[in-house]
Amino acid sequence: MDRFSIVVGDITESDAEAIVNAATESLLGGSGVDGAIHHAAGPELLAECRTLHGCPTGQAKLTKGYRLKASYILHTPGPVWRGGQSGEAEKLASCYRSCLQLAADYGIRSVDFPCISTGVFGYPAVQAAAVSLRAIMDFLRDHDTPRRVRVVCHTKDSAKIWRQTYNFWFAETKADRL
Ligand code: AR6
């Protein structure tokens, strides 16, 4: 899938047209990637977020990117991990689908995601990677926009998990290419 890749980095430095924020339902900022994005985008971001009146888990809302290189931010609150029997997987998949659908609606050509829910919200990394990759791949199969999607892992260890999961489930085999 040449429209998709997994990279290591700081998503606040992304050159994608839109980056995704692993937000909280209030959309009023927090720690982790949310805090880093608000810090890098500047106070105008919080001012716009206040006008949005929050966002339910699994859905997404769009703001401008302000001082970021990215033109837009897609804010999505991921599920809190409660052991896996509380609809976490469906909600996590919904975060990715909602962001990608919003990007498609706005004609956004490139989107970078962080590993939603895998920090403060405690979603186990391997399970999150499998669910998230399935949601991304299903969307890209069915839609032409966005053209490019990346997962920006904050650490090499997390990128290793995502790449192994991708290779196990999604990498094309030689037989697929024949
Ligand atoms: N670039 C890329 N990834 C990052 C960055 C960065 N600059 N900083 C952290 N990560 P988290 P959550 C990774 O906790 O679990 C906030 O308080 C991090 O290593 O940011 O969805 C919100 O306001 C991890 O893999 O988000 C919510 O209340 C991933 O981003 C809550 O935390 C997600 O970790 C959301 O929790």
Side-chain angles (χ1 to χ4, degrees):
M1 167 61 78
D2 57 4
R3 292 163 63 198
F4 176 75
S5 57
I6 295 160
V7 298
V8 180
D10 177 351
I11 204 166
T12 64
E13 294 171 2
S14 160
D15 64 0
E17 191 175 355
I19 64 166
V20 172
N21 181 16
T24 189
E25 282 191 328
S26 73
L27 298 184
L28 298 181
S31 59
V33 73
D34 195 3
I37 288 172
H38 274 269
H39 181 74
E44 298 95 334
L45 174 58
L46 184 58
E48 184 175 357
C49 284
R50 285 190 199 287
T51 70
L52 299 177
H53 307 295
C55 180
T57 297
Q59 297 184 26
K61 291 194 177 177
L62 177 140
T63 67
K64 289 189 273 186
Y66 297 97
R67 297 177 201 175
L68 298 176
K69 276 185 234 163
S71 301
Y72 301 101
I73 305 167
L74 303 163
H75 302 263
T76 186
V80 176
W81 179 257
R82 300 187 197 283
Q85 302 301 314
S86 304
E88 292 95 331
E90 180 45 41
K91 286 177 198 150
L92 185 61
S94 175
C95 288
Y96 286 86
R97 280 197 300 270
S98 301
C99 289
L100 291 167
Q101 186 59 57
L102 198 51
D105 293 345
Y106 278 80
I108 291 170
R109 294 184 57 82
S110 55
V111 177
D112 278 1
F113 283 94
C115 309
I116 299 167
S117 284
T118 62
V120 173
F121 282 177
Y123 209 119
V126 175
Q127 281 138 287
V131 168
S132 307
L133 284 165
R134 167 63 65 197
I136 294 169
M137 293 305 141
D138 283 352
F139 191 94
L140 291 181
R141 185 192 60 218
D142 296 338
H143 299 79
D144 290 335
T145 306
R147 288 305 304 161
R148 188 192 83 185
V149 173
R150 298 191 303 194
V151 172
V152 179
C153 297
H154 207 205
T155 65
K156 283 184 188 164
D157 284 350
S158 125
K160 192 172 167 191
I161 289 170
W162 281 70
R163 287 185 181 130
Q164 282 174 343
T165 307
Y166 180 86
N167 288 336
F168 187 78
W169 290 107
F170 301 103
E172 291 172 23
T173 63
K174 281 182 184 159
D176 288 330
R177 285 197 292 270
L178 290 175

